[in-house]
Amino acid sequence: MEAVSPRTEPGCRTLSIHVVTWNVASAAPPPDLSDLLQLNNLNLNLDVYVIGLQELNCGIVRLLSDTAFEDPWSSYFMDVLSPLSFVKVSSVRMQGLLLLIFAKYQHLPFIQVLSTKSTPTGLFGYWGNKGGVNIFLKLYGYYVSIINCHLPPHMANNDQRLEHFDRILEMQNFEAQGIPNILDHDLILWFGDMNFRIEDFGLHFVRESIKNQRYCDLWEKDQLSIAKRHDPLLREFQEGSLLFPPTYKFDKNSNNYDTSEKKRKPAWTDRILWRLKRQSQTDFHTPALSAPFALFLRSYISHMVYTVSDHKPVTCTFDLELKPLVSAPLITLLPEGPCTMESDMLISYSLTADFLSSPWDWIGLYKVGLRHINDYVSYVWVKDNQVSFSDRLNQVYIDISDIHETEDRFLLFYYSNNLHSVVGISKPFKIQPFSFLEEDPLDEAQPQI
């Protein structure tokens, strides 16, 4: 598919999504991932990062450490992306498989994480060294499924790879939770180390084709391309043109293909696929029939600069054009004046008519640049410290006694226990020192929003 720039229709918006897949072969994060994350690309204004890793270090000591603390890769991505206003929305891990989603914080009220799932396919379906991890969410009202997988290796195991692909797909059934079948989702992003190989051609021919950048000579014998010609369901999954060198297998710390005794034949093992829902006249699942929902591929590339693994990472950048089915947050938050560093701050918030609140809902106070939802500096349960309420407007106090004088800007997030998601955020504001307000008692201080 050629890169096409979307023409945004009235009432629509475009979200830029960057997808990463990388088999890291138990390596630690390298010092600089700017190229992988396209941080220096001034033509990109990304909204969402989707990052899938395979073969994370999953020794028993490492797994225990990663259970108690963030794994090194997650911590690295949060450290790099949080200063750029990205917040970790969700993650799921199964042994060496890790799937992360980051979004700019202004999108959080329109992202509802519905479910996460792990599907092991190794050792007769009981071992998670192979399989898939999945995150299902609603994005501006549309159902989106994101799958990171690691399929069986070796040239001769192609039938097994396809069987595991089908099994992962079949296991994504959440109808008991009110979630439509995965094939009824508006968008599926499926990527990972799929381990498909290049059939028939000999090692010398493959390497010469790569050396001369005649990648098209190899496409017809790529096992995934062959499978799509024979499998109608697999054919529904689209992929960009393979205009980059095969991403496996390299000698570590080099750009040389395998020089070991085995001399494995290079292959495009690391792939990124997507599937848009086919609308029909009998489909009443969502008003998407009349709402534009289109995906445009901007780039599909590998990153040869990274040598810590025997795989090269692959990335896709998409523009997702959609007409939001949800255009206003369920909660509107406003810090009331005076926003002072005394002991408490008054927060007003209003609810939409269809929002079902819970006593376990809470409001968190965050510094701008937070890494994830647990990075609050203070919080309050919405039913605690409540000073007034009406059908639509509520007020509550939050403790800020531990916040020292600072030039930092802050945000308020409203977290819904029923929806397991952020459903409202404030605009950034500063908290003024209380002594500053006392200098002129006649001056009514207002939140700096």
Side-chain angles (χ1 to χ4, degrees), residues 20-31:
V20 175
T21 180
W22 193 5
N23 182 324
V24 298
S26 298

Side-chain angles (χ1 to χ4, degrees), residues 136-366:
F136 302 94
L137 51 85
K138 268 189 171 181
L139 179 65
Y140 285 89
Y142 295 90
Y143 286 99
V144 177
S145 303
I146 299 170
I147 304 174
N148 172 27
C149 73
H150 193 182
L151 302 181
H154 306 310
M155 177 74 73
N157 289 334
N158 193 41
D159 289 343
Q160 189 179 15
R161 273 188 285 280
L162 296 171
E163 178 188 334
H164 285 205
F165 190 98
D166 290 341
R167 189 186 310 172
I168 292 170
L169 193 62
E170 290 169 2
M171 294 297 292
Q172 312 315 311
N173 186 346
F174 293 92
E175 292 179 0
Q177 302 176 33
I179 303 173
N181 182 280
I182 186 171
L183 294 179
D184 289 325
H185 289 195
D186 298 286
L187 172 63
I188 302 173
L189 292 173
W190 193 327
F191 48 86
D193 180 1
M194 298 187 178
N195 260 318
F196 290 106
R197 308 303 168 103
I198 297 173
E199 292 185 348
D200 296 341
F201 295 140
L203 175 63
H204 178 75
F205 178 82
V206 171
R207 289 194 171 183
E208 281 298 306
S209 298
I210 295 170
K211 180 180 177 181
N212 296 309
Q213 298 186 12
R214 297 197 312 270
Y215 307 126
C216 58
D217 292 348
L218 307 176
W219 293 345
E220 64 173 302
K221 296 299 182 179
D222 168 68
Q223 289 179 331
L224 177 56
S225 301
I226 294 171
K228 290 177 71 174
R229 292 198 288 268
H230 297 93
D231 186 328
L233 179 57
L234 192 57
R235 193 158 53 241
E236 293 179 10
F237 286 86
Q238 300 181 63
E239 182 181 18
S241 298
L242 297 169
L243 302 177
F244 50 85
T247 53
Y248 176 84
K249 173 181 169 81
F250 290 86
D251 293 336
K252 289 186 179 181
N253 302 311
S254 81
N255 283 325
N256 301 320
Y257 284 105
D258 186 16
T259 59
S260 69
E261 291 184 6
K262 293 182 179 180
K263 290 188 177 176
R264 292 180 179 86
K265 189 163 53 174
W268 286 289
T269 57
D270 309 281
R271 313 291 276 268
I272 299 174
L273 313 177
W274 71 92
R275 177 186 183 272
L276 289 170
K277 179 184 175 183
R278 294 185 300 178
Q279 302 291 344
S280 67
Q281 293 182 348
T282 58
D283 182 1
F284 301 104
H285 150 57
T286 170
L289 284 171
S290 59
F293 188 87
L295 196 68
F296 301 89
L297 177 64
R298 296 188 62 173
S299 71
Y300 187 30
I301 59 175
S302 66
H303 299 262
M304 296 292 289
V305 67
Y306 299 109
T307 62
V308 297
S309 169
D310 54 358
H311 290 251
K312 301 300 182 184
V314 172
T315 63
C316 249
T317 305
F318 299 101
D319 281 335
L320 176 61
E321 183 184 306
L322 56 83
K323 186 174 184 179
L325 303 178
V326 179
S327 56
L330 295 171
I331 298 288
T332 301
L333 282 160
L334 181 68
E336 295 287 351
C339 284
T340 69
M341 287 189 294
E342 188 185 22
S343 60
D344 294 313
M345 181 175 70
L346 183 63
I347 302 168
S348 294
Y349 63 94
S350 58
L351 299 74
T352 58
D354 56 346
F355 176 68
L356 182 62
S357 64
S358 161
W360 299 107
D361 293 354
W362 53 276
I363 297 173
L365 177 67
Y366 300 83

